[in-house]
Structures are given as structure tokens and as C-alpha cells.
Amino acid sequence: QVQLVESGGGSVQAGGSLRLSCAASEWIGYLYSDYCLTWFRQTPGKEREGVAGLAISNRGDITHYADSVKGRFTVSHDHATPTYYLQMNNLKPEDTGMYYCATGFRPSGSICLGSNEYKYWGQGTQVTVAT
């Protein structure tokens, strides 16, 4: 059973930056040869959306981004520890929400922005961007 713990949320002014972390309790690559680590955003009244995803396999990593965050957010992972990051720059008020990391097996060719099944979820970290 993989546990994911997010951290790094907070309140910032528009234009500011935050880096979210997602610490896994074990190496996810031991469970799945190909997997997604995706950051989701949940805002009241809106559907949960995948904003940034990392497709990881022994063939290398592929990143996927929602149009709303392209050029501003960067997803990455630490190769020394099972920790994943979401660097968020030039934050906008519409980026406000609860951010979750989630992981699961990645079917071949799928995009890691929420269309797959995610078995493991973190508890979330709140990001608030003020005008």
C-alpha cells in the first residue's frame, strides 16, 4: 500500500511561486513498470482536473501539462528518493485550489492527466493565490 503525502502549499500573491512535494512511502516503480504521477487540482464547484503529469518507465520520463498551466508549471521527480515535485511559477488566482498527487499504472500511450485509474492518492495541500 503506497502512501503519498503532499506538502508545500500556502498562500501567495499573483505572480509568485510555490513548489509542491509529494513523498511516496515506497518506490512506485517496484509496483508498476510504467506509471503516472499526476498532480490534480480541485476547486469548489468545479470538476477535479489533472494539471501536470509525469509518465515514468525504464524508457525515460514524459511530462504532460494541461493548457492552463503550460509554461508555468513543471513536474519532476527526485531520482534519489521517491519524491515528486510540482514547481508552480507565475501563479494566478485561478490556480487556487486543493492540490493532490496520485499514482497508478499507465496503459501504453495514455496521457497522465487523469484519464487513467489512479489507485493511490495523497491527502492534498491547499494553494491560495491572491490578487
Side-chain angles (χ1 to χ4, degrees), residues 115-131:
S115 59
N116 304 323
E117 179 180 343
Y118 291 80
K119 185 173 183 179
Y120 303 105
W121 291 79
Q123 83 291 347
T125 186
Q126 177 68 35
V127 171
T128 302
V129 184
T131 56

Side-chain angles (χ1 to χ4, degrees), residues 6-98:
E6 301 96 336
S7 61
S11 297
V12 295
Q13 296 290 322
S17 298
L18 284 173
R19 188 175 80 155
L20 306 184
S21 298
C22 172
S25 58
E26 60 187 277
W27 290 99
I28 301 170
Y30 291 164
L31 299 176
Y32 307 115
S33 57
D34 289 23
Y35 66 95
C36 289
L37 188 292
T38 300
W39 288 93
F40 290 86
R41 177 169 66 204
Q42 178 75 63
T43 304
K46 293 186 178 180
E47 289 190 8
R48 183 181 61 203
E49 63 169 330
V51 296
L54 195 57
I56 300 170
S57 73
N58 57 14
R59 299 178 300 280
D61 302 342
I62 302 171
T63 55
H64 303 127
Y65 297 99
D67 288 342
S68 59
V69 306
K70 278 181 183 175
R72 300 188 297 120
F73 289 14
T74 303
V75 61
S76 63
H77 69 115
D78 184 342
H79 290 270
T81 67
T83 305
Y84 305 81
Y85 302 101
L86 183 65
Q87 178 67 43
M88 305 186 295
N89 298 328
N90 190 22
L91 282 161
K92 303 176 180 181
E94 51 264 42
D95 294 320
T96 294
M98 185 70 80

Side-chain angles (χ1 to χ4, degrees), residues 99-119:
Y99 284 72
Y100 300 89
C101 61
T103 191
F105 174 72
R106 177 187 179 229
S108 179
S110 64
I111 303 299
C112 294
L113 285 179
S115 59
N116 304 323
E117 179 180 343
Y118 291 80
K119 185 173 183 179

